[in-house]
Amino acid sequence: MKALGRHVIVELYRCSTAKLDDLECLEQSMILAAQKAGATVINSNFHRFQPWGISGVVVIQESHFAIHTWPEYRFASLDIFTCGDTIDPWLGYHLIKEALQAEYVSAKEVERGVFAELEQVGQRLHEQALVTASVAPRVQQQFDQNMWFTESHEDFAFSLRHSGALLYKKNSPYQEIKVYETAGFGNMLVLDDLIMCTEKDEYIYHEMITHVPLLTHTKAQRVLIVGGGDGGTARELLKHEHVEAVVLVEIDPDVVAAAKQYLPRISSSFNHPKLTVKIADGIQYIHESPAAAFDVIIVDSSDPVGPAEGLFNEAFYQQVYRCLRPGGILVAQNESPLYHSQVFKQSLETHQRIFGSEHVHCYLASIPTYPSGLWSFSYAAKGVHPLKDFDRDRARLFTQEHYLMYYNEDIHTAAFCLPSFVKRMLGLG
Ligand code: SPD
């Protein structure tokens, strides 16, 4: 956080006239968008003018969502002001844009109350500003406790401070599921004491596991997610309009339940009409699926211990290959090349044996809350090359339209450039 608040100012053009003049629908959409963006709604006040047009504000604990509509111009001006770093104003913007069916938008973000400037008027005010920015003094107090979650490995560990109160804890038949409220990374999903995602950096992983294949295979209609019970990969996939159906196969219903309750911005697409959620074993599901059933298969697994172990096996990937259509793409999360070198190398080799070496590529992303921060994905395709068949312009437009936070056309290309030690591990240099 560099400032007290974030102000997202949006012009929504060519909206649905009916939606712009429907007070009840507009108010509900604004409230829902605020909630899904992570805000706590205090109240709302909407007014319809004669003969048309609506002004309204949703007051949130963290500031406000405000709108004015001009149905006669199919236009609305929206401003979203949020304080603290637990809210995603851009998610709110995106949901309202969809609700009003805006065809064209222009938006910008302005920092309000930049801390560097506030400092000039004295330390006391600066400290007060920091408290205000944290939004809820109650939460701030909780974080004053020195409570840490530590993901421990044999020779290293990674710790995050949290509020002390576990939001969710359950021993499911498959694993121990926990959701912590962390001080710096929002709510965090932990399975068997391994960090799966945090609200602050989840977009890096979910954008990279999704948009790299979907902006290479630009006509994918049917997509399968194996794992991905938090919903983040589905959320990103459903941004692609050509995708007609997404099937998400998650073994553990309690992961889905925890995400729905405590990770609302990540699980925001669970009710999307194109998404089918199947609570089933992904390995069995793929064995029973017909050949050539999917254009893209994404393996969004947890680490290769416990229920996800079989998602790193050759037998599983033979079935994945069978279920991909010609031109289809597999992307699988593939652990850290630095810390999990054996698994990383073995699973790429598995994919190479099945798809052929020339059709398998490794790409990387920086994910702060995963071990070493250097995370890898395996891309294996039936003939589509992630760089030669990549349409940069399309990726650039998609990135702008959806205000992606990590992925863009340059990252797509750069992600396939590998550090020397990784190239050597893979026999590439
Ligand atoms: N070490 C963490 C690896 C987790 C990969 N899967 C995360 C699931 C997020 N949808």
Side-chain angles (χ1 to χ4, degrees), residues 181-197:
E181 181 187 27
T182 75
F185 281 77
N187 290 353
M188 170 172 75
L189 175 67
V190 172
L191 300 180
D192 285 340
D193 283 327
L194 299 173
I195 298 170
M196 289 299 118
C197 55

Side-chain angles (χ1 to χ4, degrees), residues 151 194-197 205-206 228-233 300-303 333 335 340 369-371 375:
E151 177 175 315
L194 299 173
I195 298 170
M196 289 299 118
C197 55
Y205 176 91
H206 292 127
D230 51 65
T233 298
D300 179 8
S301 69
S302 45
D303 302 284
Q333 79 87 0
E335 304 289 296
H340 312 116
T369 53
Y370 286 176
W375 209 251

Side-chain angles (χ1 to χ4, degrees), residues 1 37-39 62 83-88 134-135 182-183 186-187 199 265:
M1 291 268 320
E62 304 84 358
C83 292
D85 57 6
T86 56
I87 305 177
D88 181 356
S134 77
V135 178
T182 75
N187 290 353
E199 288 183 304
R265 282 176 279 164

